[in-house]
Amino acid sequence: MIESENLHQEEIIKELCLCNGLSYEIVGKEGSNASKLEMFFSGYPRIVGLSLFPNLTSLTIVAQDIKEISGLETCVLLKELWIAECCIEKIGGLQECRNLEKLYLYYNKISKIENLDRLIKLQVLWLNHNMIKNIEGLQTLKNLNDLNLAGNLISIIGRCLDINEQLEKLNLSGNQICSFKDLTNLTRLPHLRDLCLNDPQYKTNPVCLLCNYSTHVLYHLPCLQRLDTFDVSAKQIKELADTTAMKKIMYYNMRIKTVQRHLNEDLEKLNDRKCKLQKLPEERIKLFSFVKKNLERELAELKGSGKGHSDRFNNNKLTEVEKPKNHETVTEDPTLHQKILTKLNALSERVTFWNKKLDEIEAIYRIEVKQKKKSHGLLIPFLLIELETVGNIHFEEGTRSDDWFNSCYELILSRFCTWDFRTYGVTGVKVKRVIKVNNRILRLKFEEKFQKFLDHESMHDSETYRKMLECLFYVFDPEVMVKKKHLLQILEKGFKESETSKLPLRKEAVILANSLSLCECPRIEFLQQKYKDEKKNSLEHELFRHGILLITKVFLGQSVQAREQEVINQANYPMVNSVFVPRKYLLNSIVGQRNCDCGFRQCKWFVFDHDLVLPEYIVEFEYITVVKAHSLFSSFNNVIPEESKKISEGSILSQDLKVDDDVMKMEPKIKPQAKLISLDDKTILSLAKTNIYSHIVSLNLHGNSLSKLRDLSKLTGLRKLNISFNEFTCLDDVYHLYNLEYLDASHNHVITLEGFRGLMKLKHLDLSWNQLKKSGDEINVLCKHTTSLLTLNIQHNPWQKPATLRLSVIGRLKTLTHLDGHLISEEETTAAMKFITGTKITQLSILRHSSTKEERPRILSIWPSAKILTQISKFGPHLHLNGNWHLKITALNLDGQHLFEITNLEKLENLKWASFSNNNLTKMEGLESCINLEELTLDGNCISKIEGISKLTKLTRLSINNNLLTGLEKHVFDNLLHLHSLSLENNRITSLSGLQKTVSLIELYISNNYIALNQEIYNLKGLCNLVILDVYGNIIVWNQENYRLFVIFHLPELKALDGISIEPPETESAKDLFGGRLTSDMITERQGHSNFSQMQELNWTSSSIRTVDLIPVDQFRNVSNVNLQNNNLTSFSGLIYLPNVKVLCLNYNHIESIMPRLKPQTHLTNRQLLYQKVPSSGYGQQGTSKINRDTMSSENLPPIMHSLEVLHLGYNGICNLIQLQLNRLRNLKFLFLQGNEISQVEGLDNLAVLQELVVDHNRIRAFNDSAFAKPSSLLALHLEENRLRELNKLQPLVKLEKLFLGYNKIQDITELEKLDVISTLRELTVYGNPICRKMLHRHVLIFRLPNLQMLDGIPVNSEDRVKAEFHFSELQAKKNTFIPVTNSPMDGGSFCPMKASPIKITNVILPGGFSHYLGPDFTLTPEVEDKKDKNTGILTSNPRSIHAEIAFRQLRGINLSPNLLSHPNIASPTAQMYQSNQNEGRIPGSNFSRSNRM
């Protein structure tokens, strides 16, 4: 047989040689020299003849019909082997090829990786285009650096490649990998540089179709140089991936914190409710305890009266009141004694009853808490799944506004039948929450398979297929509680991998139902039976009330009814997709008579293809039952009244309260004693019935109002002391009572045991019903100073860590036999000792909870790095320890170890990540030497102060949530220049001032603290990197109106606030609402203090201010000068409430009225609607409507701003002076209205003391009757650059001294002659009027106005007057030689010559007296240019007289430079408007002499 085999092989070789043109003999002789052999394109059914080539190092066989690998036994030197495009079904025959470095087996039919364990030198392995389902069999290939498994059937990577750490190149394209989480397994390949999952030559892996695929891979594998054949080595690509991942982590961290916060809020509400319910039982217990202790005192005195009777009567100090009482007590001893005992027993029973009620409330509270936590329990895992899958699995909570929510609700109600549930007392179902599941991965699978069905059918039938889609409920195993883990698995991976049930059917098919009863009734029955068997009568059985439904989208395909007596599996139903069983076959018992036909439609379904069942909605529901649920919000509402007074007759406890009253009325009734407020020697001796301190053995001070005990140390013999029901806050007066054995300090207000010392014989201590909180501190005091304690009662104190309190006390106070009235068992002692041992940091605990990983794992998770690292790779005590083991530790996770202090970390110099959450730490100490610390978590401790971290300069993340922090010390964060994330939620912090220098901060969580003031937000304005802020649950949230917009406005870089992203419309609204609002806070921020009472000036120009809201106004009472020029004010706003403002400058605003105008709602713009939300002082003050206000005489409006004397309203676009309501400013002396659109001087009648009015550069044509209707006190009137043609109605200006009329339209000399009526006029300008071009008006005016001292800026001297008189007399003389002008007015004596030669003035020489016009105080210095260049270019190429410009610029407070005077065509720099003058208390122009001011 073997010979014939060899002959056959020889023939094959000969044929091969012939085909290739080779001599068989030569091959036989020289074959040993060949090192490389290749075979292509010929029939080679088996590998034969290789014995002729013993020294082969490379063998290539391509496209042959080879079924197995064989004949390589002699090729021991083989380094490279190609057997490609053949028909190999199994890897084998390579055992002797131990030097093999490269193996290429692509394009074969291999289904399993095996038999490679001896090829330890293998570096390259190509198995692409095979039928491999699992990655396996590579454990020994530690040198493998190139692995190609593309084009196979691999769906899971898992941990199979962990051992191949040298892997550099990996191709997994064209497989069925669909999970991002699975890809993270590749992070354990440190040398991976080239990864292919989406090679264009192959089909796409489902995972590559998911959103953020590239980002996910590049974040987790930062060392990759190539991904999917693309070069990704650029630094920017990696940074982009990192940034995106960091943003995702920050976002989900914020979302998770929001969920936790909502849960805490709900639990807080439950706790508040519990406290209210416990109030009545607690009050009853306190009352009975008080009476009990009174009776006990009486009983003690009664027992002592026999022997002490004679002593007491001989005591001369006894009062008259005491004698008969003592006598009475003695006579009625036996009966009274019995009565007291009876009443004491009755009181004890009532205390027990009410204690039981307290326990009941506590039990119900715990069940409610459990249910709340369960309800919230899925939300955080959902968010974590979203983060891990980078949003490809997304959960959305529905509300009534969502159509899909309502559809789910209706679906559940339609599939709920009351008949099915009536035996359980269920009458209805209430949906509490619906969560939509968007699983992109499962949806793609579902749609792909569904599409295949559609493709197989014609278009006509595809519609039929669509009708086979159904919504069904998933049937959970009734005997297994719906475990969170199981549900999450289904939602993440579908039904295929999640079936762990004992039921055999579940592996074959997914079980579904179209009825609520088919899903739920088995579960309810199972739970009821379970509790019945266990004979539990607790409230736990009510948990069946709450349930979870999983609604799935199902493709039923070809479906048949199940055959009886036949197992439902694919083998028995080969041609169908699903099988259904009607309800009638499912129930053994005969269903009672029904009034509905639901039973006929109800079915259970078995779907064989798991991928065709898509989880879509999770529904949390509650059954509505006949018997109301036990709930803190329902049952006890009636059981325990909110206030004991409101007891209804039907109340369950009214009978018990009646019993209480009967017990209280029992004999003997003890009369209340007078309460002692202080204790002195006399009182002590009186109470003790003795004269000698050392004889006092027992002292009962119960039921007084004592807060201090003095000189007790004198009572050296004292053994028993009762100070219950007093006002003690500490027990520092109880010290050095060396013989004290019994102390009752219950029912006080004790907050600390500090100072409690020297009580070495104390055996019984009662500290119940006090205010003790810090368990660690108080236990330490007891350990040190009460070494003989046997019984201790510490119930009803607000302890910070109540869960571990009992174990802590038993473990530390080793002499105790009873705690809180319960005997301490041996088991408890053992457990306590074990507990105490675990509360110290030891070498063993460090090793057990630490990691030595150098790098933080690149995992999309929000958990602390210490937690992640210690879960992934623990140091482990089994490792061999060398001397430097502590230097290797980088992560330490000691969460929940009940630590009281941090110790023994001095040597952990390289510790980077540490977590000490949920311990009993009271101080931040013991971390000083861990200078490389980057992350520190101290959540859930009892820390009250941040300290000891100034040296931790590398710290990037710090979390101290759920502690007792009261503030942030000023310089504690100054050195933490890398701090990115700070979380201080659920503390008692009142100020953020300590955070001003944390400039690198990106995330700040400080919700549920005591931050109350708006100014606190200003402390964060310097944090330009801050993008996430959570201040929810602080007082500021409800104190500050529009709080959210307020914060958004002041911190413009924020991206999220209080767990909600900030949208662009919100930013706009914030700008509208708070932009341009001058507030006290803004002034505080600029000044650095809030002491406004010292302010005299308020200068806030060019800041886009729209409203002024200075609160409280009385703090600004000393402000006298206000400059708000160049803003956006439309009214005086809140300025009207500043009581002492004298000078107000509002030039360059948009003032329409002193008071804001109220428009009808329909005409309001969005911006104006927002204004109404702002409680700005100026808004809403005036009640009259627009029509009434406009028509109403402003005289009737009450005066305001009584101190205002100088008002600047230049360049405001004012056109209506009546609407401006200036009449209300009754004490105004100087009014500047230049540069507006005024056409009529009106609405100034009531300004009785107005001395100067500036209306230059307006549109005034003439004066109407009301302009100067009353005799006026005006001294100066500026009317330059208007459109005046006539000068009528000026008679009331009886005191006017200065009148400026330059650059108007006055053409007729007769108009100037009308100035005769103003006899007081001393200064006048008329240059720039047409009249000046027609004739020499100067002589006429000098002649007509005898008091005139200055005309057109030139002084009038005696010589001028002589000339004027001469000129006028000449005119008179010529009168006869001229013909009078027709229609010329004769009364004024004005004449027009017939032939007057026209005069054209081409130049003006400034006379020497010009400086007199400017005034003695005028300085010629260039000033800083105004920001908005509003004045630039006014003088450029202007032909008009320089005098007008001088006056005009004076008005605007502009100094003129000498250059300007010499070069009138050059624009001058503008000057700062606001300069206060201390002497005059006025602005612009105060520096000019009054004679020249405009």
Side-chain angles (χ1 to χ4, degrees), residues 366-581:
R366 282 187 185 151
I367 288 170
E368 291 274 322
V369 166
K370 189 175 176 182
Q371 187 53 44
K372 271 276 180 274
K373 285 183 176 175
K374 191 177 176 185
S375 178
H376 279 75
L378 286 168
L379 299 181
I380 290 174
F382 285 170
L383 288 171
L384 289 173
I385 288 172
E386 270 189 45
L387 173 59
E388 284 170 8
T389 60
V390 205
N392 284 289
I393 301 177
H394 173 61
F395 299 92
E396 184 184 347
E397 190 166 345
T399 61
R400 287 281 186 191
S401 58
D402 298 313
D403 291 341
W404 57 265
F405 176 90
N406 295 318
S407 300
C408 283
Y409 208 127
E410 285 164 15
L411 178 76
I412 288 163
L413 293 180
S414 69
R415 295 188 178 178
F416 170 82
C417 181
T418 320
W419 283 91
D420 297 334
F421 288 92
R422 61 181 183 167
T423 52
Y424 314 117
V426 173
T427 57
V429 66
K430 177 182 167 189
V431 173
K432 296 174 79 177
R433 180 187 278 146
V434 180
I435 294 169
K436 188 178 187 179
V437 183
N438 297 303
N439 189 327
R440 191 178 165 85
I441 305 158
L442 296 180
R443 190 171 290 279
L444 285 171
K445 281 186 187 176
F446 180 87
E447 285 172 357
E448 185 187 351
K449 289 209 172 179
F450 180 57
Q451 194 59 44
K452 275 182 188 172
F453 277 99
L454 291 184
D455 293 344
H456 288 153
E457 300 301 319
S458 63
M459 285 305 291
H460 173 71
D461 284 346
S462 66
E463 203 54 45
T464 315
Y465 267 80
R466 290 188 186 281
K467 286 176 184 172
M468 293 177 184
L469 288 172
E470 176 67 280
C471 276
L472 298 176
F473 303 134
Y474 176 64
V475 179
F476 289 100
D477 184 348
E479 296 186 17
V480 181
M481 281 280 283
V482 180
K483 290 278 193 305
K484 188 162 71 175
K485 192 176 175 184
H486 180 213
L487 183 61
L488 291 170
Q489 264 189 338
I490 293 173
L491 299 177
E492 190 177 353
K493 298 176 181 175
F495 293 93
K496 192 172 271 183
E497 297 172 28
S498 61
E499 299 301 352
T500 53
S501 169
K502 301 168 196 169
L503 297 184
L505 281 181
R506 289 187 180 268
K507 289 184 180 173
E508 285 289 332
V510 184
I511 305 174
L512 305 159
N514 63 358
S515 146
L516 204 61
S517 58
L518 292 179
C519 295
E520 282 288 297
C521 291
R523 180 180 75 92
I524 297 170
E525 278 181 14
F526 175 75
L527 284 175
Q528 286 188 338
Q529 189 60 43
K530 182 182 170 186
Y531 285 107
K532 197 174 175 185
D533 293 345
E534 293 173 9
K535 293 180 180 167
K536 281 192 180 178
N537 195 21
S538 75
L539 299 165
E540 291 278 344
H541 70 273
E542 300 225 336
L543 287 175
F544 91 77
R545 234 177 242 290
H546 302 276
I548 285 183
L549 277 177
L550 183 54
I551 301 178
T552 62
K553 181 179 180 178
V554 188
F555 176 66
L556 295 172
Q558 297 296 330
S559 185
V560 296
Q561 185 172 329
R563 297 184 286 272
E564 287 186 51
Q565 311 291 314
E566 196 166 6
V567 178
I568 297 173
N569 58 29
Q570 188 77 68
N572 289 335
Y573 298 91
M575 301 304 291
V576 298
N577 305 106
S578 61
V579 175
F580 64 90
V581 182

Side-chain angles (χ1 to χ4, degrees), residues 1289-1458:
K1289 318 282 179 21
L1290 297 178
Q1291 294 88 337
L1293 303 176
V1294 290
K1295 294 183 179 179
L1296 195 69
E1297 295 179 359
K1298 299 176 186 179
L1299 179 61
F1300 302 93
L1301 296 169
Y1303 292 103
N1304 275 283
K1305 306 286 184 188
I1306 301 168
Q1307 298 178 3
D1308 202 333
I1309 194 74
T1310 55
E1311 293 304 319
L1312 294 179
E1313 288 171 352
K1314 291 176 185 176
L1315 299 175
D1316 288 359
V1317 296
I1318 311 172
S1319 58
T1320 53
L1321 206 59
R1322 291 190 294 110
E1323 184 176 338
L1324 175 68
T1325 62
V1326 290
Y1327 50 63
N1329 280 281
I1331 188 77
C1332 300
R1333 294 199 295 272
K1334 289 183 181 176
M1335 60 176 288
L1336 284 167
H1337 59 288
R1338 186 173 174 83
H1339 296 310
V1340 176
L1341 287 169
I1342 291 171
F1343 183 78
R1344 300 296 294 258
L1345 302 169
N1347 291 325
L1348 201 63
Q1349 296 174 10
M1350 181 84 73
L1351 179 60
D1352 289 342
I1354 302 169
V1356 175
N1357 53 29
S1358 54
E1359 190 182 327
D1360 291 332
R1361 230 168 253 297
V1362 171
K1363 283 181 183 176
E1365 286 174 11
F1366 175 73
H1367 180 74
F1368 201 79
S1369 61
E1370 266 190 352
L1371 285 176
Q1372 288 289 90
K1374 288 179 183 178
K1375 190 176 179 182
N1376 298 325
T1377 64
F1378 284 94
I1379 298 165
V1381 177
T1382 320
N1383 298 333
S1384 181
M1386 302 306 290
D1387 59 338
S1390 172
F1391 301 98
C1392 190
M1394 291 293 290
K1395 285 186 179 179
S1397 57
I1399 299 169
K1400 183 180 180 183
I1401 298 170
T1402 58
N1403 198 6
V1404 177
I1405 306 298
L1406 295 178
F1410 180 65
S1411 61
H1412 170 71
Y1413 170 76
L1414 292 174
D1417 299 328
F1418 193 86
T1419 55
L1420 297 173
T1421 57
E1423 282 291 321
V1424 183
E1425 186 167 341
D1426 184 63
K1427 282 182 186 173
K1428 295 208 175 174
D1429 293 336
K1430 296 218 176 197
N1431 313 307
T1432 307
I1434 289 175
L1435 296 187
T1436 309
S1437 307
N1438 199 331
R1440 69 192 183 189
S1441 166
I1442 192 74
H1443 298 299
E1445 291 311 329
I1446 294 165
F1448 186 57
R1449 289 184 178 277
Q1450 260 187 295
L1451 164 64
R1452 297 203 25 210
I1454 298 165
N1455 294 335
L1456 303 177
S1457 67

Side-chain angles (χ1 to χ4, degrees), residues 233-255:
S233 56
K235 190 180 175 186
Q236 294 89 333
I237 294 174
K238 304 289 173 60
E239 284 177 352
L240 181 63
D242 279 8
T243 308
T244 308
M246 285 301 110
K247 283 179 181 174
K248 293 272 182 196
I249 290 170
M250 281 163 57
Y251 171 73
Y252 281 100
N253 184 34
M254 175 187 80
R255 294 264 313 267

Side-chain angles (χ1 to χ4, degrees), residues 280 284 350 354 647 653-661:
L280 176 67
R284 307 307 285 177
R350 297 316 296 158
W354 287 112
I647 300 167
L653 292 180
S654 58
Q655 189 61 37
D656 292 311
L657 295 170
K658 192 170 179 296
V659 174
D660 287 352
D661 290 342

